[in-house]
Amino acid sequence: MDSAPAALLVARGLTYHRNQDPIFGPLDLHVDAGEAVLVRGGNGAGKTTLLKVLAGLLEATGGSATLLGAPVDTDHLARHCAYLGHRLGHKAELGSLDNLRYAATLQGRPRADADLEAALAAVGLAGYEDTPAGRMSAGQNKRLALARLSLHPGKLWLMDEPYANLDLDGIALVDRMVGAHTAAGGAAFITTHGAYAAPPGRVRKIELHGAQA
C-alpha cells in the first residue's frame, strides 16, 4: 500500500489583519510534496498577502503555519522555501549573470559561472549575461527571476502571479519548470488569474475568498 504524500506546508486557522481590517482567514490548507496548488481569488481576496505570510515576510495575526514540521519564521525562506513575488528584486545596474551570482552569494550558496549560465540559457536568456536588468523588458526580467528560482534549493516554491508579463513561450516555460520541480519531490503554491496555468503532474486548485465571517 502506498504511503500518503508528505505535507511540506500545513496551515491551521491562519488569519491576517491589516490595521484591524481582516484580509483573509481563518484558513486551513496544506501543500504536499509532488504537487502544485493553484490559488485563485478576486482582487482583494488576500492572495499576495497569504504568500507573504507563508514565506515568513509577514507575521500572521492568528493561527499557525509549519514548513517541514517547523513553525514558519523569518529565516525559513532562505533555507527551505523560495519566493517569487511581484517585485523581482534585481539590481538594475547589474547584468543577468551578476544578478544570479549576487543572489547565490546572499543565500550562502555560491555557484560556478557555468551553472549560472546554464540557468540563464534554460529560461531563454543566453546572450544576456552582461545585459543590465534595468535595460531588459518586463518579460525578460521575469525570466531572470525564474532562473534565480531554479537555482534555489528550497523544496517549496511560493509563486505570486508567475505567468504575468510572459508570452506564450514564457507561460509554457513556467509550466515546465513547475512540473519538473514537483516531479523531483518539490511543491509549488501559485497564485494566478489565468486559465493557462496548467503545469504537468498533480495539480490541485483552491479558491481564496478573503476573510470569513
Side-chain angles (χ1 to χ4, degrees), residues 129-150:
E129 291 83 0
D130 297 323
T131 304
R135 295 183 183 175
M136 297 198 304
S137 69
Q140 289 170 331
N141 270 281
K142 178 59 71 69
R143 287 173 181 265
L144 178 55
L146 290 169
R148 188 179 71 240
L149 184 74
S150 73

Side-chain angles (χ1 to χ4, degrees), residues 112-137:
D113 280 0
D115 293 336
L116 305 181
E117 290 167 356
L120 289 173
V123 299
L125 289 180
Y128 289 87
E129 291 83 0
D130 297 323
T131 304
R135 295 183 183 175
M136 297 198 304
S137 69

